[in-house]
Amino acid sequence: MPQYMLSVCHDQPYEDLDFNDPEIQRMVASVGALNEELQAKGAWVFGAGLRPVSTATVVRSNGGEISMTDGPFAETKEHIGGFYIIEAADLDDALEWAGKAAAACGGFPIEVRPCEGA
Amino acid sequence: MPDELDEVFRREAGRCTATLIRVLGDIDLAEDAVAEAFSIAAEQWPAKGVPPNPGGWITTTARNRAIDRLRRESTREDRHLAALRLRGDDAMDEPNPDLDELDGFVDVVADDQLRLMFLCCHPALAADAQVALTLRLLGGLDMPEIAKAFLVPEVTLAQRIVRAKRKLRDNHAPYRVPRPAELPGRLDAVLATVYLIYNEGHTASSGESLGRTDLTREAIRLGRMLTDLMPDEPEAVGLLALMLLTESRRSARSAADGSMIGLLDQDRGRWDPMMIAEGHALVRACLRRNQPGPFQVQAAIAAVHADAARAEDTDWAQIVALYDQFMVVRPTPVVALNRAVALAEVHGPGAGLAAIAALAEALDEYQPFHAARADLLARAGSPDAAAAYDRAIELSTNLRERRFLEARKAANRAGHDY
């Protein structure tokens, strides 16, 4: 069955989430419900929310020599805050899941891309 | 014979491609196969005569050639992959072999054209890609024709089409009519694409000639196909009615020298009575169903215009009432502008100007706003009319339209002393 990556697109960097914030609590609950639905319907492959972009490291290999830089690869405000890999029958099913994810993940846009070879 | 083949091509190419995509599971394979079948027809038909069912002949020939080629060129694994690229409803994945032998033809399913229409207008594609794919696959227009119609370089158009097809294939876009829950949104995209094609033909977005008949004809053909296949969708019927009623005025829209004539100045004797009659019947069918939507309301407005033997007989109060309904289903500044123009016909230019004042900011870049405002100002005897005409002329990208506005401006100046 085809696999798709659903990326949660943030337009601003975020810092650590405040889990006492009622809005964050609502989001955690709705994402949890979506994850359960994905698993129950056999669509779940993997998924995770990501720590703030300031925690990122970029690693490069230049002729076998490994180098590292602090910070994210792309120097933009926009970045991925989390992702799912799902299995879906076809694009329309994947888009339907993406719609649910957009609603569950605090209204952030969801980018849908098919995985190679799946 | 070339004419006859051409006519079969226009009528059948989209239908054959739609079925072949289902049978072969791949857009490119289907297109190549249909093209090959037509070139075989061009060789054989002049000597042997046109077969009794030309569409069936083309579809079967295309299918057989494609399968031969797959057997010749592909490994088993590739063939298997090819068959899975576009997924149809399970029951439809394979043609019925018994029926096939019985008829000697591939079973052409009417739904195939609908599936293809929904695939071409998939919401994951941008509007320009939807239009290009629809014209290419369902209309059977070739790349140079489409490129010319939309005034884009052929290479740009080719890239657009290749990219769209690849996106649909790589994403495993399904080849099916959307499920009832998805249908309203998906149908809107299809109707919007057909109307975009019609409008591009009706008033070319730029350049010298006012309309491109090929595109309007193709849009009406697609509209008919949709109403044949989905007779219970009132907006599809409304769109066809709207296109027919607009098209009925085609020959009255331009003078012998090619200049444009406004609706109220047209010789109504030149309106096409057949198209008006058909449009009227469709509008009446919509009214009976009583599920109004944007296309149906616009068609009803066009029908009121068509009812008036002379411009001064127009029932403007009825048109204002229809625009009120339109504002309920689609409250946009452009609709509000058209309502204001109708309002001015009932209550005078002052009422119209008052109604459009609030739209000035939203429609500052919209040529018809300034043209309408200029006309209202001229009728109210305001010296501001000239500047408003200038702004409309500045925003117009169509030469004939610009000439039309210049003439209006000149006529207004001649009538006043300023």
Side-chain angles (χ1 to χ4, degrees):
Chain A
M1 193 151 12
Q3 295 189 341
Y4 300 83
M5 177 161 171
L6 312 187
S7 309
V8 185
C9 305
H10 288 243
D11 54 5
Q12 290 289 332
Y14 56 86
E15 284 309 315
D16 283 333
L17 298 178
D18 173 7
F19 286 96
N20 293 319
D21 180 342
E23 203 165 309
I24 299 294
Q25 287 174 351
R26 264 198 303 278
M27 198 175 89
V28 168
S30 60
V31 169
L34 173 64
N35 294 353
E36 274 172 31
E37 193 188 345
L38 281 161
Q39 281 159 11
K41 297 260 173 74
W44 173 274
V45 178
F46 188 70
L50 297 173
R51 302 282 295 149
V53 75
S54 56
T55 62
T57 311
V58 175
V59 179
R60 288 180 173 80
S61 168
N62 291 316
E65 197 171 319
I66 303 298
S67 65
M68 291 172 206
T69 49
D70 181 17
F73 170 67
E75 294 287 345
T76 59
K77 272 194 253 167
E78 295 85 2
H79 61 282
I80 290 171
F83 67 92
Y84 288 101
I85 302 288
I86 62 161
E87 258 182 9
D90 54 45
L91 174 63
D92 289 0
D93 277 353
L95 293 174
E96 197 180 330
W97 282 118
K100 290 180 179 179
C105 301
F108 290 107
I110 305 291
E111 180 185 295
V112 180
R113 277 174 74 180
C115 298
E116 192 75 70
Chain B
M1 177 59 81
D3 283 354
E4 210 170 349
L5 190 66
D6 225 38
E7 202 244 307
V8 172
F9 185 81
R10 288 266 172 232
R11 203 180 57 227
E12 303 287 351
R15 198 200 307 254
C16 297
T17 306
T19 293
L20 264 292
I21 292 174
R22 171 171 56 82
V23 173
L24 300 171
D26 185 84
I27 298 173
D28 288 328
L29 281 176
E31 275 187 280
D32 290 349
V34 170
E36 197 180 344
F38 271 104
S39 69
I40 294 167
E43 282 169 25
Q44 293 187 0
W45 291 4
K48 293 187 186 170
V50 177
N53 178 350
W57 189 96
I58 292 286
T59 308
T60 300
T61 306
R63 197 270 316 258
N64 294 342
R65 287 298 167 125
I67 288 173
D68 284 351
R69 206 165 73 189
L70 280 174
R71 288 210 182 101
R72 224 171 31 238
E73 293 176 3
S74 311
T75 66
R76 180 186 295 267
E77 200 176 17
D78 285 346
R79 277 209 301 280
H80 184 65
L81 273 178
L84 287 174
R85 275 181 200 155
L86 279 167
R87 306 161 64 87
D89 299 342
D90 290 344
M92 296 294 193
D93 272 346
E94 293 296 327
N96 182 331
D98 296 338
L99 200 74
D100 202 15
E101 265 173 44
L102 204 68
D103 288 355
F105 296 125
V106 177
D107 181 19
V108 174
V109 178
D111 265 8
D112 286 338
Q113 287 185 93
L114 265 189
R115 293 161 194 238
L116 185 51
M117 192 80 223
F118 282 106
L119 185 70
C120 291
C121 300
H122 197 285
L125 299 176
D128 55 8
Q130 294 175 343
V131 165
L133 261 196
T134 302
L135 289 173
R136 177 77 195 92
L137 297 179
L138 272 162
L141 269 62
D142 63 23
M143 298 277 193
E145 284 174 306
I146 305 171
K148 202 172 135 226
F150 285 90
L151 300 170
V152 293
E154 237 177 280
V155 57
T156 308
L157 182 89
Q159 280 167 353
R160 194 177 288 169
I161 289 177
V162 166
R163 188 187 158 276
K165 286 194 289 195
R166 190 164 57 202
K167 179 168 186 182
L168 293 173
R169 190 181 59 198
D170 289 355
N171 268 291
H172 308 272
Y175 197 50
R176 62 161 182 249
V177 176
R179 295 172 283 237
E182 310 164 314
L183 196 58
R186 295 290 304 271
L187 183 61
D188 283 353
V190 167
L191 299 180
T193 300
V194 173
Y195 195 45
L196 210 61
I197 292 169
Y198 181 80
N199 272 331
E200 187 65 28
H202 182 253
T203 312
S205 62
S206 55
E208 285 210 18
S209 108
L210 188 61
R212 298 196 181 94
T213 334
D214 279 359
L215 289 182
T216 57
R217 200 172 36 213
E218 184 54 27
I220 291 172
R221 193 187 69 81
L222 290 169
R224 277 191 205 287
M225 184 196 95
L226 286 173
T227 51
D228 285 349
L229 295 172
M230 309 180 89
D232 292 327
E233 291 296 339
E235 277 293 273
V237 178
L239 171 61
L240 178 59
L242 174 61
M243 293 191 294
L244 286 167
L245 289 166
T246 312
E247 192 63 9
S248 72
R249 305 179 205 137
R250 165 171 296 283
S251 60
R253 284 179 74 230
S254 45
D257 65 356
S259 63
M260 181 178 141
I261 304 174
L263 173 62
L264 302 182
D265 299 320
Q266 290 171 10
D267 172 4
R268 297 185 175 215
R270 293 174 68 193
W271 289 0
D272 183 326
M274 299 283 281
M275 285 192 195
I276 291 177
E278 191 184 356
H280 263 154
L282 294 170
V283 168
R284 278 195 295 274
C286 288
L287 287 175
R288 277 198 298 276
R289 213 186 298 256
N290 196 22
Q291 292 171 260
F295 285 123
Q296 296 172 76
V297 177
Q298 291 175 85
I301 292 167
V304 175
H305 283 299
D307 268 340
R310 300 171 307 165
E312 54 270 37
D313 299 337
T314 308
D315 184 351
W316 287 104
Q318 178 64 26
I319 289 178
V320 172
L322 286 166
Y323 273 116
D324 287 339
Q325 222 184 71
F326 201 177
M327 282 299 283
V328 173
V329 291
R330 184 160 296 172
T332 68
V334 171
V335 176
L337 171 66
N338 288 310
R339 182 186 172 278
V341 170
L343 198 69
E345 296 294 335
V346 182
H347 298 296
L353 284 166
I356 67 168
L359 309 169
E361 199 179 328
L363 298 178
D364 186 45
E365 300 288 317
Y366 187 60
Q367 180 269 123
F369 169 78
H370 296 282
R373 184 167 171 270
D375 284 344
L376 292 175
L377 287 168
R379 281 165 51 192
S382 163
D384 297 338
Y389 278 121
D390 285 340
R391 179 77 177 125
I393 290 162
E394 184 190 329
L395 289 169
S396 177
T397 51
N398 179 294
L399 189 64
R400 301 259 181 243
E401 193 176 72
R402 200 153 53 229
R403 296 252 165 83
F404 172 75
L405 292 165
E406 282 160 1
R408 302 280 288 209
K409 184 189 169 193
N412 175 50
R413 202 188 298 121
H416 297 275
D417 278 337
Y418 49 87

